[in-house]
């Protein structure tokens, strides 16, 4: 089983590789579900890490329905990531009714080639996951990051199993949200092949300013990643 670490900083990325993770998804601001990281961060991580680096392309927090200007920003971000040498793109677009925006998502897949394309957790908003799965397979998505449409993968395990069975190796179901050392083996035993975790620990901070000190700073923990890997490789 492959473990992808959702790395929210340079240190998180370094810790992921040091602990033995096989891949990272690089992003910023996990507190809002992740947004596109800075290009300085992407460049530095790609230059230093030897494991594959996938990058989240999401221009803002909130929903996954984008204006034309936002969509153009997403496309420019993908083009820059390709020039920086990343190994995969994590993105996707929904319609206002939360169905897959097939035209725009396919355009992003084509633009990302030859890189691997993961449809991110916007998938957990869709009204009909089996239909959405087939649509994404048809337009060439290599991987779908999902919690099974529930707040956590444990609660969404039944749906994850249905999606994995329905995918029939045509795409990869990447289980993510709330995975830790205590439950990681459940997903391996269920027949899933890839899991996604931030493995975060909260860093202490002395910044208690009313405007700037309210968001916890976290980093992916070497020890936590090692514990997850020990569980899925035992």
């Amino acid at each position: 089983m492959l473990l992808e670490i959702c790395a929210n900083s340079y240190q998180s990325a370094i810790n992921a590789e040091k602990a033995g993770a096989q891949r990272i998804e690089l992003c910023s601001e996990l507190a809002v579900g992740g947004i596109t990281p800075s290009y300085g961060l992407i460049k530095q991580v790609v230059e230093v890490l030897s494991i594959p680096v996938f990058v989240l392309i999401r221009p803002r927090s909130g929903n996954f329905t984008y204006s034309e200007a936002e969509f153009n920003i997403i496309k420019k971000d993908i083009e820059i990531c390709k020039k920086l040498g990343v190994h995969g793109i994590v993105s996707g677009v929904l319609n206002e009714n939360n169905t897959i925006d097939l035209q725009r998502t396919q355009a992003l897949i084509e633009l990302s080639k030859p890189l691997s394309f993961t449809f991110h957790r916007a998938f957990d908003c869709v009204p009909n996951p089996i239909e959405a799965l087939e649509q994404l397979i048809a337009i060439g998505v290599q991987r779908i990051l999902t919690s099974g449409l529930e707040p956590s993968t444990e609660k969404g395990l039944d749906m994850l199993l249905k999606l994995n069975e329905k995918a029939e190796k045509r795409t990869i179901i990447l289980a993510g949200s709330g995975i830790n050392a205590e439950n990681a083996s459940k997903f391996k035993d269920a027949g899933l092949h890839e899991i996604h975790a931030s493995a975060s620990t909260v860093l202490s901070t002395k910044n208690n300013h009313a405007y700037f000190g309210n968001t916890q700073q976290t980093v992916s923990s070497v020890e936590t990643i090692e514990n997850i890997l020990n569980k899925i490789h035992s």
Side-chain angles (χ1 to χ4, degrees):
M1 171 172 267
L2 182 147
L3 172 62
E4 174 184 272
I5 292 298
C6 183
N8 65 342
S9 65
Y10 178 70
Q11 190 60 54
S12 289
I14 294 297
N15 288 354
E17 178 164 277
K18 180 180 179 181
Q22 294 97 328
R23 186 175 71 227
I24 69 163
E25 179 205 294
L26 187 64
C27 69
S28 292
E29 300 302 330
L30 278 177
V32 295
I35 58 173
T36 307
S38 75
Y39 303 119
L41 174 58
I42 297 169
K43 187 174 188 295
Q44 185 160 323
V45 168
V46 169
E47 288 176 350
V48 173
L49 263 63
S50 59
I51 60 175
V53 177
F54 287 9
V55 176
L56 175 65
I57 306 298
R58 183 186 179 206
R60 56 162 172 77
S61 60
N63 65 28
F64 301 96
T65 303
Y66 300 112
S67 67
E68 191 62 29
E70 289 172 328
F71 186 60
N72 286 332
I73 290 169
I74 291 172
K75 291 189 288 185
K76 289 175 184 176
D77 285 344
I78 290 174
E79 290 172 347
I80 292 171
C81 281
K82 290 175 72 174
K83 292 177 182 177
L84 291 175
V86 310
H87 304 91
I89 298 296
V90 184
S91 194
V93 185
L94 299 181
N95 295 309
E96 289 186 0
N97 64 358
N98 283 337
T99 59
I100 307 294
D101 187 328
L102 294 171
Q103 182 177 357
R104 281 179 160 187
T105 300
Q106 186 166 23
L108 298 184
I109 293 169
E110 294 301 318
L111 181 61
S112 299
K113 288 181 177 177
L115 304 184
S116 178
F117 190 95
T118 300
F119 193 89
H120 55 32
R121 285 194 62 204
F123 186 86
D124 290 323
C125 301
V126 302
N128 188 330
I130 300 302
E131 178 184 48
L133 170 69
E134 293 295 341
Q135 290 173 333
L136 290 174
I137 290 171
I139 62 174
V141 163
Q142 284 93 18
R143 185 176 288 99
I144 299 170
L145 172 60
T146 174
S147 63
L149 281 72
E150 295 288 350
S152 71
T153 46
E154 280 198 275
K155 292 182 178 179
L157 184 55
D158 287 345
M159 177 56 69
L160 288 168
L161 292 175
K162 290 178 183 177
L163 292 168
N164 195 47
E165 181 180 1
K166 198 75 175 176
E168 297 176 333
K169 299 182 180 179
R170 295 174 295 162
T171 194
I172 297 167
I173 301 301
L174 173 60
S177 183
I179 291 180
N180 52 51
E182 283 66 44
N183 62 21
S185 60
K186 291 182 180 180
F187 306 99
K188 179 182 179 181
D189 295 342
L192 294 165
H193 301 290
E194 297 190 2
I195 55 175
H196 167 103
S198 65
S200 295
T201 186
V202 177
L203 297 176
S204 61
T205 176
K206 295 180 180 179
N207 182 9
N208 294 316
H209 192 279
Y211 297 122
F212 305 111
N214 294 327
T215 302
Q216 290 182 328
Q217 184 182 357
T218 64
V219 66
S220 297
S221 160
V222 171
E223 181 181 2
T224 302
I225 296 168
E226 289 176 339
N227 288 339
I228 294 173
L229 288 168
N230 287 336
K231 291 292 185 178
I232 63 176
H233 293 157
S234 60

